[in-house]
Amino acid sequence: MAVDTSARTPTWTFVDGEWIAGNPPLIGPVSHAMWLGSTVFDGARWFDGIAPDLDLHCRRVNRSAVAMGMAATVAAEEIERLALEGVKKFDGKTAIYIKPMYWAEHGQAGSVVAPDAASTRFALCLFEAPMHTAKPHSLTLSPYRRPTPECAMTGAKTGSLYPNSGRMIVEARARGFDNALVRDMNGNVAETASSNVFMVKDGIVFTPAANRTFLAGITRARVIGLLREAGHDVREATLSVEDFMGADEIFTTGNYSKVAPVNRLDDRELQEGPVARKALELYMDWARTTRVG
């Protein structure tokens, strides 16, 4: 039985100089990206007339392409301009996910495994995706771990890292949780399966130190800065599972949902705390100063 490949929400993609509605067929069975995983992407958000840190997301996708051995063929400023052009194709009633992407079409001569930078392709996909800001969610400790930079392309936001995240979420949901708390190879907490993570203890805000085993996100950095400006003591540190089990509150940050509280970590129930609420308030107040129309 054929799988329905149509887009699940209103979607527009800019590729090869034109905007195409829906889910256009871009990658074939012999494309390098299809069978050897040379894909990178980034994700920004548009909602309520604002697109927070869109410029930073556009710059990061270009860095990711280069890190994967491809070429950044579109200037970050042009990606940003195209994104705002694409936003106008929607009715503005639902939040939009902005996803610039690069992939390789061919492998290098004599070593098909390595991507041929000259065959790099670019697409910019926008689709409706409701926000889940401040939605409480549960975590469980994952049996799976984040790789080191020596083992995987941890310095890029690449699709090849996400199957590991996917199995973490599948395993966690099979046990009745929404997401997973994930460790690095040394056993220290890195992040969740799909977002950065913070904890609060005795009024001090902690987040795992960026040790290159996980993507230290743009929203993470923004929240750290905003909390510090507001007078909070925010520390990047090496944190254990035990630290999180003893936390007064836990919350996550990420582009998809911005700031969201954790209401359960394994068998420990938690309440949404004042720091998580303040972090979201500060973020939204800041974001509204970046209105793009």
Side-chain angles (χ1 to χ4, degrees), residues 186-220:
N186 290 323
N188 301 310
V189 172
E191 57 176 351
T192 77
S194 59
S195 56
N196 295 133
V197 67
F198 289 73
M199 56 163 276
V200 183
K201 183 67 176 179
D202 298 329
I204 301 173
V205 185
F206 296 91
T207 193
N211 61 5
R212 298 177 62 214
T213 67
F214 65 95
L215 194 68
I218 291 169
T219 305
R220 170 187 180 272

mmCIF file of all heavy atoms in Angstrom, residues 186-220:
data_model
loop_
_atom_site.group_PDB
_atom_site.id
_atom_site.type_symbol
_atom_site.label_atom_id
_atom_site.label_comp_id
_atom_site.label_asym_id
_atom_site.label_seq_id
_atom_site.Cartn_x
_atom_site.Cartn_y
_atom_site.Cartn_z
ATOM 1 N N ASN A 186 30.425 9.968 29.202
ATOM 2 C CA ASN A 186 31.021 9.919 30.540
ATOM 3 C C ASN A 186 29.967 9.753 31.635
ATOM 4 O O ASN A 186 30.308 9.696 32.813
ATOM 5 C CB ASN A 186 31.822 11.198 30.808
ATOM 6 C CG ASN A 186 33.081 11.266 29.960
ATOM 7 O OD1 ASN A 186 33.735 10.259 29.717
ATOM 8 N ND2 ASN A 186 33.430 12.468 29.516
ATOM 9 N N GLY A 187 28.698 9.692 31.232
ATOM 10 C CA GLY A 187 27.637 9.495 32.208
ATOM 11 C C GLY A 187 27.058 10.769 32.787
ATOM 12 O O GLY A 187 26.202 10.718 33.677
ATOM 13 N N ASN A 188 27.507 11.926 32.296
ATOM 14 C CA ASN A 188 26.953 13.197 32.750
ATOM 15 C C ASN A 188 25.769 13.601 31.870
ATOM 16 O O ASN A 188 25.699 13.235 30.702
ATOM 17 C CB ASN A 188 28.024 14.287 32.687
ATOM 18 C CG ASN A 188 29.225 13.953 33.548
ATOM 19 O OD1 ASN A 188 29.090 13.613 34.724
ATOM 20 N ND2 ASN A 188 30.414 14.038 32.967
ATOM 21 N N VAL A 189 24.843 14.365 32.441
ATOM 22 C CA VAL A 189 23.668 14.792 31.689
ATOM 23 C C VAL A 189 24.101 15.751 30.577
ATOM 24 O O VAL A 189 24.889 16.677 30.801
ATOM 25 C CB VAL A 189 22.632 15.463 32.608
ATOM 26 C CG1 VAL A 189 21.493 16.076 31.793
ATOM 27 C CG2 VAL A 189 22.075 14.437 33.600
ATOM 28 N N ALA A 190 23.581 15.523 29.382
ATOM 29 C CA ALA A 190 23.878 16.376 28.238
ATOM 30 C C ALA A 190 22.681 17.259 27.891
ATOM 31 O O ALA A 190 22.789 18.484 27.815
ATOM 32 C CB ALA A 190 24.269 15.529 27.029
ATOM 33 N N GLU A 191 21.529 16.642 27.666
ATOM 34 C CA GLU A 191 20.320 17.358 27.243
ATOM 35 C C GLU A 191 19.166 16.371 27.298
ATOM 36 O O GLU A 191 19.268 15.316 27.904
ATOM 37 C CB GLU A 191 20.497 17.923 25.840
ATOM 38 C CG GLU A 191 20.841 16.880 24.783
ATOM 39 C CD GLU A 191 20.911 17.436 23.373
ATOM 40 O OE1 GLU A 191 20.526 18.603 23.155
ATOM 41 O OE2 GLU A 191 21.345 16.692 22.484
ATOM 42 N N THR A 192 18.049 16.682 26.641
ATOM 43 C CA THR A 192 17.014 15.682 26.437
ATOM 44 C C THR A 192 17.187 15.138 25.021
ATOM 45 O O THR A 192 18.112 15.526 24.305
ATOM 46 C CB THR A 192 15.594 16.258 26.604
ATOM 47 O OG1 THR A 192 15.230 16.998 25.437
ATOM 48 C CG2 THR A 192 15.497 17.141 27.833
ATOM 49 N N ALA A 193 16.288 14.276 24.600
ATOM 50 C CA ALA A 193 16.393 13.708 23.257
ATOM 51 C C ALA A 193 16.162 14.757 22.180
ATOM 52 O O ALA A 193 16.570 14.562 21.034
ATOM 53 C CB ALA A 193 15.400 12.566 23.084
ATOM 54 N N SER A 194 15.537 15.888 22.527
ATOM 55 C CA SER A 194 15.192 16.878 21.493
ATOM 56 C C SER A 194 15.302 18.333 21.938
ATOM 57 O O SER A 194 14.823 19.215 21.236
ATOM 58 C CB SER A 194 13.765 16.616 20.989
ATOM 59 O OG SER A 194 12.836 16.708 22.060
ATOM 60 N N SER A 195 15.938 18.586 23.081
ATOM 61 C CA SER A 195 16.034 19.967 23.558
ATOM 62 C C SER A 195 17.125 20.075 24.608
ATOM 63 O O SER A 195 17.585 19.079 25.173
ATOM 64 C CB SER A 195 14.693 20.413 24.161
ATOM 65 O OG SER A 195 14.285 19.522 25.192
ATOM 66 N N ASN A 196 17.535 21.312 24.874
ATOM 67 C CA ASN A 196 18.473 21.559 25.964
ATOM 68 C C ASN A 196 17.713 21.577 27.284
ATOM 69 O O ASN A 196 16.502 21.792 27.313
ATOM 70 C CB ASN A 196 19.204 22.881 25.743
ATOM 71 C CG ASN A 196 20.103 22.859 24.512
ATOM 72 O OD1 ASN A 196 20.085 23.783 23.712
ATOM 73 N ND2 ASN A 196 20.887 21.810 24.350
ATOM 74 N N VAL A 197 18.431 21.354 28.372
ATOM 75 C CA VAL A 197 17.761 21.181 29.652
ATOM 76 C C VAL A 197 18.433 22.033 30.728
ATOM 77 O O VAL A 197 19.647 22.235 30.724
ATOM 78 C CB VAL A 197 17.740 19.685 30.063
ATOM 79 C CG1 VAL A 197 19.142 19.160 30.361
ATOM 80 C CG2 VAL A 197 16.785 19.435 31.217
ATOM 81 N N PHE A 198 17.602 22.555 31.633
ATOM 82 C CA PHE A 198 18.048 23.367 32.764
ATOM 83 C C PHE A 198 17.486 22.774 34.052
ATOM 84 O O PHE A 198 16.433 22.132 34.043
ATOM 85 C CB PHE A 198 17.532 24.805 32.644
ATOM 86 C CG PHE A 198 18.170 25.629 31.563
ATOM 87 C CD1 PHE A 198 17.874 25.401 30.222
ATOM 88 C CD2 PHE A 198 19.049 26.654 31.880
ATOM 89 C CE1 PHE A 198 18.443 26.177 29.220
ATOM 90 C CE2 PHE A 198 19.619 27.437 30.883
ATOM 91 C CZ PHE A 198 19.335 27.203 29.555
ATOM 92 N N MET A 199 18.163 23.029 35.159
ATOM 93 C CA MET A 199 17.641 22.688 36.478
ATOM 94 C C MET A 199 17.921 23.842 37.431
ATOM 95 O O MET A 199 18.828 24.647 37.205
ATOM 96 C CB MET A 199 18.256 21.399 37.011
ATOM 97 C CG MET A 199 19.769 21.390 37.082
ATOM 98 S SD MET A 199 20.451 20.088 38.147
ATOM 99 C CE MET A 199 20.349 20.891 39.768
ATOM 100 N N VAL A 200 17.111 23.913 38.477
ATOM 101 C CA VAL A 200 17.263 24.955 39.485
ATOM 102 C C VAL A 200 17.413 24.285 40.839
ATOM 103 O O VAL A 200 16.655 23.382 41.187
ATOM 104 C CB VAL A 200 16.048 25.910 39.503
ATOM 105 C CG1 VAL A 200 16.272 27.031 40.513
ATOM 106 C CG2 VAL A 200 15.787 26.475 38.109
ATOM 107 N N LYS A 201 18.409 24.725 41.605
ATOM 108 C CA LYS A 201 18.625 24.211 42.954
ATOM 109 C C LYS A 201 19.009 25.370 43.858
ATOM 110 O O LYS A 201 19.987 26.074 43.603
ATOM 111 C CB LYS A 201 19.734 23.147 42.950
ATOM 112 C CG LYS A 201 19.966 22.510 44.316
ATOM 113 C CD LYS A 201 18.758 21.667 44.760
ATOM 114 C CE LYS A 201 19.035 20.965 46.080
ATOM 115 N NZ LYS A 201 17.864 20.168 46.543
ATOM 116 N N ASP A 202 18.206 25.566 44.901
ATOM 117 C CA ASP A 202 18.469 26.628 45.881
ATOM 118 C C ASP A 202 18.634 27.990 45.208
ATOM 119 O O ASP A 202 19.506 28.790 45.569
ATOM 120 C CB ASP A 202 19.711 26.296 46.717
ATOM 121 C CG ASP A 202 19.545 25.014 47.529
ATOM 122 O OD1 ASP A 202 18.399 24.711 47.924
ATOM 123 O OD2 ASP A 202 20.558 24.323 47.751
ATOM 124 N N GLY A 203 17.817 28.238 44.203
ATOM 125 C CA GLY A 203 17.805 29.528 43.534
ATOM 126 C C GLY A 203 18.846 29.701 42.445
ATOM 127 O O GLY A 203 18.843 30.706 41.730
ATOM 128 N N ILE A 204 19.751 28.740 42.289
ATOM 129 C CA ILE A 204 20.785 28.812 41.251
ATOM 130 C C ILE A 204 20.337 27.993 40.050
ATOM 131 O O ILE A 204 19.840 26.876 40.184
ATOM 132 C CB ILE A 204 22.141 28.287 41.775
ATOM 133 C CG1 ILE A 204 22.593 29.103 42.986
ATOM 134 C CG2 ILE A 204 23.199 28.336 40.671
ATOM 135 C CD1 ILE A 204 23.826 28.542 43.673
ATOM 136 N N VAL A 205 20.503 28.570 38.861
ATOM 137 C CA VAL A 205 20.107 27.907 37.625
ATOM 138 C C VAL A 205 21.338 27.220 37.026
ATOM 139 O O VAL A 205 22.392 27.846 36.862
ATOM 140 C CB VAL A 205 19.531 28.916 36.610
ATOM 141 C CG1 VAL A 205 19.008 28.195 35.379
ATOM 142 C CG2 VAL A 205 18.427 29.755 37.263
ATOM 143 N N PHE A 206 21.180 25.949 36.692
ATOM 144 C CA PHE A 206 22.267 25.170 36.109
ATOM 145 C C PHE A 206 21.844 24.610 34.755
ATOM 146 O O PHE A 206 20.672 24.279 34.541
ATOM 147 C CB PHE A 206 22.643 23.988 37.007
ATOM 148 C CG PHE A 206 23.206 24.358 38.349
ATOM 149 C CD1 PHE A 206 22.375 24.508 39.452
ATOM 150 C CD2 PHE A 206 24.575 24.538 38.522
ATOM 151 C CE1 PHE A 206 22.886 24.834 40.699
ATOM 152 C CE2 PHE A 206 25.098 24.869 39.767
ATOM 153 C CZ PHE A 206 24.253 25.021 40.857
ATOM 154 N N THR A 207 22.797 24.494 33.854
ATOM 155 C CA THR A 207 22.576 23.792 32.602
ATOM 156 C C THR A 207 23.869 23.061 32.240
ATOM 157 O O THR A 207 24.953 23.549 32.580
ATOM 158 C CB THR A 207 22.136 24.751 31.481
ATOM 159 O OG1 THR A 207 21.649 24.007 30.362
ATOM 160 C CG2 THR A 207 23.264 25.653 31.021
ATOM 161 N N PRO A 208 23.800 21.891 31.608
ATOM 162 C CA PRO A 208 25.022 21.167 31.268
ATOM 163 C C PRO A 208 25.995 22.006 30.444
ATOM 164 O O PRO A 208 25.594 22.711 29.514
ATOM 165 C CB PRO A 208 24.504 19.969 30.473
ATOM 166 C CG PRO A 208 23.133 19.723 31.027
ATOM 167 C CD PRO A 208 22.585 21.102 31.288
ATOM 168 N N ALA A 209 27.258 21.941 30.816
ATOM 169 C CA ALA A 209 28.289 22.665 30.084
ATOM 170 C C ALA A 209 28.370 22.140 28.655
ATOM 171 O O ALA A 209 28.280 20.929 28.421
ATOM 172 C CB ALA A 209 29.632 22.516 30.785
ATOM 173 N N ALA A 210 28.547 23.051 27.720
ATOM 174 C CA ALA A 210 28.639 22.666 26.309
ATOM 175 C C ALA A 210 29.977 21.965 26.074
ATOM 176 O O ALA A 210 31.027 22.610 26.009
ATOM 177 C CB ALA A 210 28.515 23.897 25.428
ATOM 178 N N ASN A 211 29.936 20.634 25.967
ATOM 179 C CA ASN A 211 31.159 19.846 25.820
ATOM 180 C C ASN A 211 31.274 19.208 24.436
ATOM 181 O O ASN A 211 32.028 18.260 24.248
ATOM 182 C CB ASN A 211 31.239 18.772 26.902
ATOM 183 C CG ASN A 211 30.081 17.787 26.853
ATOM 184 O OD1 ASN A 211 29.242 17.840 25.942
ATOM 185 N ND2 ASN A 211 30.023 16.885 27.822
ATOM 186 N N ARG A 212 30.496 19.721 23.484
ATOM 187 C CA ARG A 212 30.525 19.300 22.084
ATOM 188 C C ARG A 212 29.900 17.922 21.854
ATOM 189 O O ARG A 212 29.956 17.402 20.750
ATOM 190 C CB ARG A 212 31.959 19.307 21.534
ATOM 191 C CG ARG A 212 32.609 20.685 21.533
ATOM 192 C CD ARG A 212 34.043 20.641 21.045
ATOM 193 N NE ARG A 212 34.102 20.166 19.671
ATOM 194 C CZ ARG A 212 35.106 19.429 19.181
ATOM 195 N NH1 ARG A 212 36.106 19.069 19.969
ATOM 196 N NH2 ARG A 212 35.101 19.051 17.923
ATOM 197 N N THR A 213 29.261 17.336 22.861
ATOM 198 C CA THR A 213 28.522 16.096 22.631
ATOM 199 C C THR A 213 27.067 16.373 22.276
ATOM 200 O O THR A 213 26.351 15.456 21.883
ATOM 201 C CB THR A 213 28.556 15.174 23.866
ATOM 202 O OG1 THR A 213 27.827 15.784 24.943
ATOM 203 C CG2 THR A 213 29.984 14.902 24.312
ATOM 204 N N PHE A 214 26.631 17.615 22.440
ATOM 205 C CA PHE A 214 25.256 17.988 22.103
ATOM 206 C C PHE A 214 25.269 19.385 21.512
ATOM 207 O O PHE A 214 26.240 20.148 21.665
ATOM 208 C CB PHE A 214 24.339 17.931 23.331
ATOM 209 C CG PHE A 214 24.678 18.933 24.407
ATOM 210 C CD1 PHE A 214 24.039 20.167 24.470
ATOM 211 C CD2 PHE A 214 25.643 18.646 25.371
ATOM 212 C CE1 PHE A 214 24.347 21.089 25.457
ATOM 213 C CE2 PHE A 214 25.958 19.565 26.369
ATOM 214 C CZ PHE A 214 25.317 20.784 26.416
ATOM 215 N N LEU A 215 24.201 19.734 20.823
ATOM 216 C CA LEU A 215 24.089 21.051 20.202
ATOM 217 C C LEU A 215 23.644 22.056 21.260
ATOM 218 O O LEU A 215 22.519 21.985 21.748
ATOM 219 C CB LEU A 215 23.091 21.010 19.049
ATOM 220 C CG LEU A 215 23.106 22.205 18.106
ATOM 221 C CD1 LEU A 215 24.407 22.240 17.302
ATOM 222 C CD2 LEU A 215 21.914 22.142 17.157
ATOM 223 N N ALA A 216 24.540 22.943 21.632
ATOM 224 C CA ALA A 216 24.205 24.006 22.580
ATOM 225 C C ALA A 216 23.395 25.049 21.814
ATOM 226 O O ALA A 216 23.937 25.848 21.061
ATOM 227 C CB ALA A 216 25.469 24.612 23.171
ATOM 228 N N GLY A 217 22.110 25.044 21.986
ATOM 229 C CA GLY A 217 21.186 25.724 21.095
ATOM 230 C C GLY A 217 21.177 27.240 21.183
ATOM 231 O O GLY A 217 21.618 27.853 22.166
ATOM 232 N N ILE A 218 20.622 27.842 20.155
ATOM 233 C CA ILE A 218 20.462 29.288 20.078
ATOM 234 C C ILE A 218 19.478 29.774 21.140
ATOM 235 O O ILE A 218 19.709 30.792 21.806
ATOM 236 C CB ILE A 218 20.006 29.690 18.659
ATOM 237 C CG1 ILE A 218 21.163 29.454 17.668
ATOM 238 C CG2 ILE A 218 19.528 31.143 18.615
ATOM 239 C CD1 ILE A 218 20.767 29.562 16.215
ATOM 240 N N THR A 219 18.379 29.055 21.334
ATOM 241 C CA THR A 219 17.410 29.437 22.372
ATOM 242 C C THR A 219 18.023 29.263 23.751
ATOM 243 O O THR A 219 17.795 30.078 24.654
ATOM 244 C CB THR A 219 16.119 28.621 22.228
ATOM 245 O OG1 THR A 219 15.603 28.781 20.906
ATOM 246 C CG2 THR A 219 15.072 29.075 23.234
ATOM 247 N N ARG A 220 18.802 28.218 23.940
ATOM 248 C CA ARG A 220 19.522 28.002 25.207
ATOM 249 C C ARG A 220 20.385 29.203 25.540
ATOM 250 O O ARG A 220 20.334 29.737 26.656
ATOM 251 C CB ARG A 220 20.383 26.743 25.096
ATOM 252 C CG ARG A 220 21.371 26.512 26.248
ATOM 253 C CD ARG A 220 22.268 25.326 25.911
ATOM 254 N NE ARG A 220 23.241 25.028 26.949
ATOM 255 C CZ ARG A 220 24.455 25.584 27.040
ATOM 256 N NH1 ARG A 220 24.820 26.507 26.139
ATOM 257 N NH2 ARG A 220 25.289 25.230 28.004
#
